[in-house]
Amino acid sequence: MTTEGHIAALERRHQELDRQIQTELQNTRYDDLTVSALKRKKLEVKDELTKFTGANAY
């Protein structure tokens, strides 16, 4: 996979995690542990994106 392809895949994963977090938070009985795990994964993806792009765009 090219660097650009990897970055695009990371961006899609970041957006998908954000959607999952929002969906979970809309649930009246959401699970704090699930939300925390999703946020942690989203941060890991953001950190990897930052390594590749050198920017804090996310």
Side-chain angles (χ1 to χ4, degrees):
M1 182 183 298
T2 65
T3 301
E4 292 83 16
H6 188 65
I7 290 170
L10 289 171
E11 289 171 340
R12 285 191 302 274
R13 179 70 175 137
H14 188 266
Q15 291 169 353
E16 177 58 29
L17 286 165
D18 192 47
R19 281 191 290 274
Q20 288 177 356
I21 291 166
Q22 294 308 315
T23 299
E24 184 67 25
L25 289 174
Q26 289 174 359
N27 186 348
T28 55
R29 299 182 61 114
Y30 70 86
D31 181 14
D32 286 331
L33 292 176
T34 300
V35 172
S36 293
L38 289 169
K39 286 182 176 183
R40 192 170 28 258
K41 287 179 189 177
K42 184 179 170 190
L43 184 57
E44 289 170 5
V45 172
K46 176 185 171 188
D47 288 344
E48 191 168 349
L49 270 168
T50 301
K51 278 195 291 187
F52 280 101
T53 63
N56 246 346
Y58 297 91

